[in-house]
Amino acid sequence: MSMSEPAIRYEVDEAEGQGGKTTTVRLHGQLILQSADLVRGAVKPLIAEGGHVVIDVGDVQYLDSSGLGALVGLKVSAGNQGCRLELENVTARIREILRITFLTEFFSS
């Protein structure tokens, strides 16, 4: 990754179903200090729209404490606004980070 390339890219897909609107944000790259604000800025407006927000972390190659903090903050914001937010395609590495930080249950609720 060169200095000009962003640490993370994302795509947003929306779908209407029987349970209402589901918005999926697919992350690609590194969710780190340099990219946490970008992810927060992309997801917060989706939370405000309500419904169900899914963050697909299957292609996140690296997650640091700032990236984890961004995910926790988004989950809290979603809960405070009556929006359901969940992680999808959690890799073994991210699952282990959630386990050792005692956040597995937090993200399963």
Side-chain angles (χ1 to χ4, degrees):
M1 177 171 62
S2 75
M3 295 301 284
S4 62
E5 288 181 49
I8 202 154
R9 294 178 300 103
Y10 66 90
E11 296 135 21
V12 178
D13 294 315
E14 292 183 359
E16 285 290 335
Q18 289 181 340
K21 182 173 80 167
T22 298
T23 305
T24 302
V25 180
R26 288 181 179 78
L27 303 179
H28 308 278
Q30 300 179 356
L31 185 45
I32 56 176
L33 175 63
Q34 295 82 353
S35 62
D37 283 342
L38 178 68
V39 171
R40 269 192 292 270
V43 176
K44 274 206 175 224
L46 303 173
I47 290 171
E49 292 175 14
H52 180 202
V53 175
V54 176
I55 300 177
D56 183 333
V57 294
D59 195 29
V60 171
Q61 286 97 34
Y62 189 79
L63 176 69
D64 72 4
S65 60
S66 296
L68 183 60
L71 293 175
V72 168
L74 291 167
K75 176 78 171 172
V76 169
S77 291
N80 290 341
Q81 295 181 47
C83 175
R84 196 173 87 196
L85 183 141
E86 65 181 340
L87 301 181
E88 180 177 80
N89 296 322
V90 179
T91 62
R93 179 180 289 161
I94 292 176
R95 191 173 299 111
E96 179 65 5
I97 290 169
L98 295 177
R99 187 190 68 76
I100 63 175
T101 56
F102 302 99
L103 291 170
T104 304
E105 296 262 334
F106 176 73
F107 278 104
S108 351
S109 59

